[in-house]
Amino acid sequence: MRPSRGYRPQCPLPLVIMAGRDAKGQPLPEGCDSHWLAGYKAVEWAVDGHPLIATLVHRARASGHFDPIYVAGPADRLRPLALDAVLIDTDGELDVNIAAALAALGDQIKGSVAFLASDILPSVASLNAAMALYAASRRSAIFFPLVRVPEQQESLGQSGYKPRYRLVEPGGQESAVLPGHLLIVRPTAIRLNLVYALVRLGYRTRNQPVRQRTWRMLLGAIGFLLREDLRLLLAGKAPHLTLTVVRNALIVSRSLQQGQIGTHALMRRLRAVLVRASYRLRHPRTAVVLPVTDLLDLAKDFDTVEEIEAAGGTRAGAPSGTPAGDDQPRL
């Protein structure tokens, strides 16, 4: 994918690592007998003696693509770790933590901002590969890598239960994909209030089948959408948001269930829903970019005890010392 003429993606990017609390009792797919991993995973669990959050900060710093680096979560739990990052003190649900992070970034939100989940262990090489795709992308309002499910599915290990989505890649190749956990957005370009609502609902339903997840998210969002359309109507503007979101969501859901949606079609529909109409008019070449990659460690987040233990994770306090280099096992 060639960059737009005269356009150079922003680098380095401010990065926010989301280190909040995962709620208890989230449903796992039917037939999965694993145990849900709750709590402040990035602080309470360690691999090879180092908290997950310390390893993530270390790897992000080592990649050279991110600066400044922020960690959004409860400061009383994060401060003892003496992380090489700026702390954003927040302790709500994911959408609340994202809003707090953007507020803390101030004028930096006029550009692009990267977000990374704190319950994954991507290598520096994977971060570099993902950022190379970002650099090669067109002018993007949203950049969100997807991860191709490998033919040897045993490589998923304890993560084999995760729901996957079928897409048609450019060239006609049908692929099953998992969502990655790196997101780069231009906050001024997107419908932030809608994104907050969808993030909250999406996070609560993230391990559910497509059809069930779609309807739960739409039912959860309908009140917000109608209120936003009423606000538009009172401002003398056409109330279009409910129809736009519901129509595109149902088309995408049906196509995903049938495995018939192409990546370009999916990107166009997400652009219509998530990117503000006024921004699209001013910047007609802006895009939602969903590259399909083989960066498996961007998709294997730790939702269950079995997943993190398979990666060598143990419950831990806050050990002292600096995480080892990326060439050491799992660090």
Side-chain angles (χ1 to χ4, degrees):
M1 189 180 299
R2 294 181 178 178
S4 302
R5 180 176 297 178
Y7 175 64
R8 294 292 181 271
Q10 179 185 343
C11 189
L13 288 174
L15 170 68
V16 181
I17 302 177
M18 306 304 300
R21 181 177 183 273
D22 214 341
K24 294 181 179 179
Q26 295 291 315
L28 291 166
E30 185 177 351
C32 177
D33 57 1
S34 296
H35 301 84
W36 185 259
L37 184 63
Y40 298 96
K41 296 182 281 188
V43 175
E44 296 171 352
W45 286 80
V47 174
D48 292 346
H50 299 286
L52 294 181
I53 190 61
T55 300
L56 273 174
V57 170
H58 175 71
R59 292 187 182 185
R61 184 76 66 194
S63 76
H65 292 289
F66 307 108
D67 188 63
I69 295 175
Y70 299 86
V71 176
D76 59 335
R77 292 175 177 268
L78 293 164
R79 192 173 290 114
L81 300 178
L83 300 170
D84 182 19
V86 180
L87 300 186
I88 298 173
D89 188 14
T90 180
D91 196 13
E93 290 198 47
L94 181 58
D95 58 306
V96 172
N97 293 344
I98 292 173
L102 292 179
L105 264 61
D107 285 346
Q108 291 181 90
I109 67 169
K110 293 179 181 178
S112 294
V113 179
F115 289 87
L116 190 65
S118 64
D119 58 347
I120 56 173
L121 280 177
S123 67
V124 172
S126 289
L127 292 174
N128 287 339
M131 294 307 292
L133 291 172
Y134 171 70
S137 69
R138 293 184 295 142
R139 195 182 303 266
S140 59
I142 299 173
F143 175 87
F144 184 59
L146 304 174
V147 179
R148 197 177 288 110
V149 175
E151 292 185 8
Q152 304 299 324
Q153 295 196 28
E154 57 268 20
S155 60
L156 289 172
Q158 294 291 336
S159 298
Y161 72 91
K162 293 185 184 296
R164 64 281 318 261
Y165 308 92
R166 298 205 66 83
L167 299 174
V168 180
E169 297 188 47
Q173 175 185 350
E174 294 186 10
S175 297
V177 300
L178 298 168
H181 292 81
L182 170 69
L183 170 68
I184 300 174
V185 298
R186 183 172 290 270
T188 56
I190 62 178
R191 293 173 167 137
L192 274 176
N193 288 334
L194 174 61
V195 168
Y196 292 150
L198 295 178
V199 163
R200 179 171 61 254
L201 294 163
Y203 193 71
R204 293 174 180 174
T205 61
R206 65 190 184 276
N207 286 316
Q208 296 178 11
V210 173
R211 185 173 183 275
Q212 180 181 349
R213 189 180 193 192
T214 300
W215 281 108
R216 287 196 62 184
M217 290 182 68
L218 284 177
L219 290 173
I222 196 68
F224 166 82
L225 294 171
L226 291 173
R227 288 193 299 272
E228 286 295 296
D229 272 344
L230 177 61
R231 184 182 61 79
L232 289 172
L233 185 63
L234 294 175
K237 300 177 182 179
H240 64 278
L241 193 58
T242 301
L243 178 60
T244 296
V245 172
V246 171
R247 177 176 177 272
N248 282 284
L250 292 177
I251 291 173
V252 168
S253 175
R254 182 175 65 249
S255 299
L256 284 174
Q257 292 175 66
Q258 296 172 347
Q260 295 178 345
I261 191 166
T263 53
H264 288 302
L266 177 58
M267 289 187 285
R268 287 196 304 271
R269 295 201 176 277
L270 289 177
R271 181 179 184 268
V273 170
L274 299 177
V275 180
R276 294 189 295 112
S278 59
Y279 192 90
R280 297 198 308 268
L281 287 173
R282 294 196 307 272
H283 306 278
R285 298 174 69 186
T286 193
V288 171
V289 180
L290 306 174
V292 180
T293 77
D294 293 311
L295 305 175
L296 195 57
D297 53 6
L298 282 180
K300 294 175 67 174
D301 59 325
F302 304 129
D303 280 333
T304 67
V305 173
E306 287 77 6
E307 286 175 288
I308 198 167
E309 287 183 342
T314 57
R315 288 194 177 275
S320 60
T322 302
D326 187 66
D327 57 342
Q328 296 195 17
R330 296 195 183 94
L331 274 181

